[in-house]
Amino acid sequence: QQQVKQSPQSLIVQKGGIPIINCAYENTAFDYFPWYQQFPGKGPALLIAIRPDVSEKKEGRFTISFNKSAKQFSLHIMDSQPGDSATYFCAASRGGEIQGAQKLVFGQGTRLTINP
Amino acid sequence: ETGVTQTPRHLVMGMTNKKSLKCEQHLGHNAMYWYKQSAKKPLELMFVYSLEERVENNSVPSRFSPECPNSSHLFLHLHTLQPEDSALYLCASSQDVVFPNQPQHFGDGTRLSIL
């Protein structure tokens, strides 16, 4: 119930294409769904996040689509660039599960390569 | 300095050694976290501190011992580690006292290798 399942494990897209990464969860108590981007040798950095009261959120070229009934959410990268090549992690948490902190459950990660 | 800083960046130790990982955050956050990142596995939450009090221990073996002396510093003391403990150890912080689910900010990690 605490798992977040992410697919695909790896993805190769040509520059300008729209890579899509999908995540599914079981725990309906989750109420926060962030995506993190990690470059080699660096820690993960928050990219974009969504809460279940909206079905879509867009920040620049990055869009999260959220389907509450299906318990799925996905990341779309518009006009992808070679600089977007990184590992992407989805995550989920339930607000208030830990007093004064949060308990993020991460997906397994997707290694994305954008070819020039 | 800003953000979350981890030292050392790389550490090689034998199974009988004792070493410590250090994390420092300059963001004024109240919560700090230790994660383990192994190849082909999701990030695993190890410990959570809020206002210097440990609030979560995610079934971590006792050979890992965390310490949070103040809201800006977090340590992970290591002793008698096993080869399967080789991984990237990440520290993170967030500001969750008033509103939940605030962004977590990560350091760049310590790459630990156990001989």
Side-chain angles (χ1 to χ4, degrees), chain A residues 9-22:
Chain A
Q9 277 192 316
S10 63
L11 184 58
I12 301 174
V13 172
Q14 289 298 117
K15 177 184 173 183
I18 305 177
I20 301 173
I21 304 171
N22 301 296

PDB file of all heavy atoms in Angstrom, chain A residues 9-22:
ATOM      1  N   GLN A   9      11.500   2.190 -16.827  1.00  0.00           N
ATOM      2  CA  GLN A   9      12.770   2.305 -16.103  1.00  0.00           C
ATOM      3  C   GLN A   9      13.729   3.200 -16.857  1.00  0.00           C
ATOM      4  O   GLN A   9      14.536   3.904 -16.255  1.00  0.00           O
ATOM      5  CB  GLN A   9      13.406   0.928 -15.923  1.00  0.00           C
ATOM      6  CG  GLN A   9      12.886   0.156 -14.749  1.00  0.00           C
ATOM      7  CD  GLN A   9      13.748  -1.054 -14.436  1.00  0.00           C
ATOM      8  OE1 GLN A   9      14.155  -1.785 -15.332  1.00  0.00           O
ATOM      9  NE2 GLN A   9      14.031  -1.256 -13.167  1.00  0.00           N
ATOM     10  N   SER A  10      13.677   3.139 -18.185  1.00  0.00           N
ATOM     11  CA  SER A  10      14.522   4.002 -18.997  1.00  0.00           C
ATOM     12  C   SER A  10      13.750   4.409 -20.246  1.00  0.00           C
ATOM     13  O   SER A  10      12.830   3.710 -20.682  1.00  0.00           O
ATOM     14  CB  SER A  10      15.834   3.301 -19.360  1.00  0.00           C
ATOM     15  OG  SER A  10      15.572   2.158 -20.137  1.00  0.00           O
ATOM     16  N   LEU A  11      14.160   5.546 -20.793  1.00  0.00           N
ATOM     17  CA  LEU A  11      13.426   6.131 -21.918  1.00  0.00           C
ATOM     18  C   LEU A  11      14.387   6.951 -22.751  1.00  0.00           C
ATOM     19  O   LEU A  11      15.158   7.753 -22.204  1.00  0.00           O
ATOM     20  CB  LEU A  11      12.297   7.014 -21.363  1.00  0.00           C
ATOM     21  CG  LEU A  11      11.322   7.671 -22.305  1.00  0.00           C
ATOM     22  CD1 LEU A  11      10.603   6.631 -23.151  1.00  0.00           C
ATOM     23  CD2 LEU A  11      10.315   8.499 -21.509  1.00  0.00           C
ATOM     24  N   ILE A  12      14.349   6.733 -24.056  1.00  0.00           N
ATOM     25  CA  ILE A  12      15.177   7.507 -24.982  1.00  0.00           C
ATOM     26  C   ILE A  12      14.252   8.213 -25.965  1.00  0.00           C
ATOM     27  O   ILE A  12      13.407   7.580 -26.592  1.00  0.00           O
ATOM     28  CB  ILE A  12      16.170   6.599 -25.742  1.00  0.00           C
ATOM     29  CG1 ILE A  12      17.080   5.870 -24.760  1.00  0.00           C
ATOM     30  CG2 ILE A  12      17.003   7.421 -26.721  1.00  0.00           C
ATOM     31  CD1 ILE A  12      17.991   4.832 -25.403  1.00  0.00           C
ATOM     32  N   VAL A  13      14.445   9.533 -26.080  1.00  0.00           N
ATOM     33  CA  VAL A  13      13.579  10.350 -26.920  1.00  0.00           C
ATOM     34  C   VAL A  13      14.448  11.289 -27.748  1.00  0.00           C
ATOM     35  O   VAL A  13      15.505  11.732 -27.287  1.00  0.00           O
ATOM     36  CB  VAL A  13      12.597  11.157 -26.026  1.00  0.00           C
ATOM     37  CG1 VAL A  13      11.807  12.173 -26.829  1.00  0.00           C
ATOM     38  CG2 VAL A  13      11.653  10.214 -25.292  1.00  0.00           C
ATOM     39  N   GLN A  14      14.003  11.591 -28.940  1.00  0.00           N
ATOM     40  CA  GLN A  14      14.711  12.569 -29.752  1.00  0.00           C
ATOM     41  C   GLN A  14      14.393  13.977 -29.274  1.00  0.00           C
ATOM     42  O   GLN A  14      13.286  14.257 -28.765  1.00  0.00           O
ATOM     43  CB  GLN A  14      14.311  12.436 -31.224  1.00  0.00           C
ATOM     44  CG  GLN A  14      14.852  11.176 -31.905  1.00  0.00           C
ATOM     45  CD  GLN A  14      16.368  11.143 -31.924  1.00  0.00           C
ATOM     46  OE1 GLN A  14      16.979  10.248 -31.330  1.00  0.00           O
ATOM     47  NE2 GLN A  14      16.979  12.109 -32.598  1.00  0.00           N
ATOM     48  N   LYS A  15      15.342  14.868 -29.476  1.00  0.00           N
ATOM     49  CA  LYS A  15      15.149  16.280 -29.110  1.00  0.00           C
ATOM     50  C   LYS A  15      13.845  16.798 -29.723  1.00  0.00           C
ATOM     51  O   LYS A  15      13.567  16.552 -30.892  1.00  0.00           O
ATOM     52  CB  LYS A  15      16.335  17.092 -29.631  1.00  0.00           C
ATOM     53  CG  LYS A  15      16.234  18.588 -29.376  1.00  0.00           C
ATOM     54  CD  LYS A  15      17.404  19.322 -30.017  1.00  0.00           C
ATOM     55  CE  LYS A  15      17.208  20.823 -29.922  1.00  0.00           C
ATOM     56  NZ  LYS A  15      18.303  21.564 -30.593  1.00  0.00           N
ATOM     57  N   GLY A  16      13.081  17.513 -28.919  1.00  0.00           N
ATOM     58  CA  GLY A  16      11.806  18.044 -29.365  1.00  0.00           C
ATOM     59  C   GLY A  16      10.635  17.128 -29.100  1.00  0.00           C
ATOM     60  O   GLY A  16       9.472  17.562 -29.170  1.00  0.00           O
ATOM     61  N   GLY A  17      10.899  15.868 -28.787  1.00  0.00           N
ATOM     62  CA  GLY A  17       9.836  14.918 -28.481  1.00  0.00           C
ATOM     63  C   GLY A  17       9.249  15.178 -27.103  1.00  0.00           C
ATOM     64  O   GLY A  17       9.704  16.047 -26.355  1.00  0.00           O
ATOM     65  N   ILE A  18       8.217  14.408 -26.752  1.00  0.00           N
ATOM     66  CA  ILE A  18       7.521  14.590 -25.469  1.00  0.00           C
ATOM     67  C   ILE A  18       7.617  13.292 -24.670  1.00  0.00           C
ATOM     68  O   ILE A  18       6.761  12.405 -24.792  1.00  0.00           O
ATOM     69  CB  ILE A  18       6.048  14.975 -25.677  1.00  0.00           C
ATOM     70  CG1 ILE A  18       5.940  16.213 -26.566  1.00  0.00           C
ATOM     71  CG2 ILE A  18       5.376  15.239 -24.309  1.00  0.00           C
ATOM     72  CD1 ILE A  18       4.517  16.619 -26.888  1.00  0.00           C
ATOM     73  N   PRO A  19       8.653  13.165 -23.834  1.00  0.00           N
ATOM     74  CA  PRO A  19       8.723  11.967 -22.993  1.00  0.00           C
ATOM     75  C   PRO A  19       7.618  12.004 -21.935  1.00  0.00           C
ATOM     76  O   PRO A  19       7.277  13.070 -21.408  1.00  0.00           O
ATOM     77  CB  PRO A  19      10.112  12.059 -22.348  1.00  0.00           C
ATOM     78  CG  PRO A  19      10.501  13.492 -22.462  1.00  0.00           C
ATOM     79  CD  PRO A  19       9.800  14.054 -23.645  1.00  0.00           C
ATOM     80  N   ILE A  20       7.065  10.835 -21.651  1.00  0.00           N
ATOM     81  CA  ILE A  20       6.021  10.697 -20.633  1.00  0.00           C
ATOM     82  C   ILE A  20       6.436   9.610 -19.649  1.00  0.00           C
ATOM     83  O   ILE A  20       6.779   8.490 -20.060  1.00  0.00           O
ATOM     84  CB  ILE A  20       4.671  10.328 -21.274  1.00  0.00           C
ATOM     85  CG1 ILE A  20       4.244  11.403 -22.279  1.00  0.00           C
ATOM     86  CG2 ILE A  20       3.594  10.160 -20.187  1.00  0.00           C
ATOM     87  CD1 ILE A  20       3.008  11.039 -23.073  1.00  0.00           C
ATOM     88  N   ILE A  21       6.422   9.957 -18.373  1.00  0.00           N
ATOM     89  CA  ILE A  21       6.775   9.015 -17.315  1.00  0.00           C
ATOM     90  C   ILE A  21       5.545   8.840 -16.424  1.00  0.00           C
ATOM     91  O   ILE A  21       4.913   9.826 -16.042  1.00  0.00           O
ATOM     92  CB  ILE A  21       7.961   9.534 -16.483  1.00  0.00           C
ATOM     93  CG1 ILE A  21       9.163   9.828 -17.399  1.00  0.00           C
ATOM     94  CG2 ILE A  21       8.361   8.514 -15.418  1.00  0.00           C
ATOM     95  CD1 ILE A  21      10.302  10.554 -16.711  1.00  0.00           C
ATOM     96  N   ASN A  22       5.246   7.601 -16.118  1.00  0.00           N
ATOM     97  CA  ASN A  22       4.010   7.292 -15.399  1.00  0.00           C
ATOM     98  C   ASN A  22       4.262   6.733 -14.007  1.00  0.00           C
ATOM     99  O   ASN A  22       5.230   6.005 -13.795  1.00  0.00           O
ATOM    100  CB  ASN A  22       3.196   6.266 -16.193  1.00  0.00           C
ATOM    101  CG  ASN A  22       2.841   6.770 -17.564  1.00  0.00           C
ATOM    102  OD1 ASN A  22       2.117   7.747 -17.720  1.00  0.00           O
ATOM    103  ND2 ASN A  22       3.369   6.110 -18.592  1.00  0.00           N
TER     104      ASN A  22
END
